[in-house]
Amino acid sequence: MLEIGTEAVDFTLKNQNDEDVTLSDFRGKKVVLYFYPKDNTPGCSAQAAAFASLNAEFEKKGAVVIGISKDSVKSHKKFEEKYSLPFNILSDPEHKVIEAYGVWQEKKLYGKVSMGVIRTTYIIDENGIVENVFTKVKAAQNPQDMLDEISK
């Protein structure tokens, strides 16, 4: 995990429209950067839909929401259309950014151990510095929690 107070790792990844998105392009705004395991799963869908419903509130606070998973651009496009997502969801199939942010970890599910994305949300300030890190977040509650956090 990146430490609070350190510079966020810059990156460029493809979004759901196959366009390059670079983190440093959002300097001057807060960034709510959330990592999630997989498109169209119950928790990830609830989280994305809740971020979508609160997106205007984030924008009023001068913040931008960005989601990242290892799913493909094509998968992200279907996910965006299904849930009318008004923000970038980025594809990291090689886990380069996912690993740089320390969210590719060992997971246990029903006794089975595997590697995967640990649901994590970073708040990055206007200068590109990690302001806060939230691990083990509750998917459906995470968007409201993040809005509350940036409203402090």
Side-chain angles (χ1 to χ4, degrees):
M1 297 282 163
L2 297 184
E3 299 284 324
I4 293 170
T6 61
E7 190 168 343
V9 175
D10 199 18
F11 59 81
T12 300
L13 292 172
K14 296 282 186 189
N15 71 3
Q16 65 270 32
N17 299 314
D18 203 30
E19 302 163 334
D20 285 342
V21 174
T22 301
L23 179 64
S24 57
D25 288 348
F26 297 98
R27 291 278 165 93
K29 294 183 175 217
K30 278 197 192 280
V31 177
V32 178
L33 183 65
Y34 81 99
F35 292 88
Y36 66 99
K38 190 158 179 53
D39 292 344
N40 291 305
T41 56
C44 298
S45 297
Q47 186 178 25
F51 269 122
S53 71
L54 295 172
N55 195 63
E57 296 300 314
F58 282 103
E59 288 177 348
K60 284 181 194 170
K61 302 282 184 191
V64 61
V65 173
I66 301 173
I68 298 179
S69 83
K70 63 184 184 65
D71 293 307
S72 68
V73 168
K74 187 176 178 182
S75 174
H76 281 348
K77 187 63 181 171
K78 290 178 183 173
F79 192 49
E80 173 208 35
E81 289 171 351
K82 184 173 182 180
Y83 293 99
S84 301
L85 303 180
F87 52 85
N88 285 303
I89 46 176
L90 307 181
S91 177
D92 187 15
E94 296 169 1
H95 327 141
K96 287 182 179 167
V97 176
I98 289 167
E99 289 183 36
Y101 277 78
V103 300
W104 185 255
Q105 297 179 16
E106 197 173 83
K107 297 168 78 167
K108 290 181 184 172
L109 184 63
Y110 307 119
K112 182 183 172 199
V113 177
S114 63
M115 294 298 289
V117 174
I118 302 297
R119 192 181 309 278
T120 305
T121 304
Y122 284 86
I123 295 180
I124 300 167
D125 76 9
E126 296 83 354
N127 299 309
I129 303 299
V130 175
E131 192 172 279
N132 221 325
V133 183
F134 300 87
T135 59
K136 299 179 184 169
V137 298
K138 290 185 170 69
Q141 185 60 39
N142 180 239
Q144 184 63 56
D145 291 346
M146 295 306 98
L147 185 59
D148 294 346
E149 185 66 27
I150 67 168
S151 297
K152 288 181 180 176

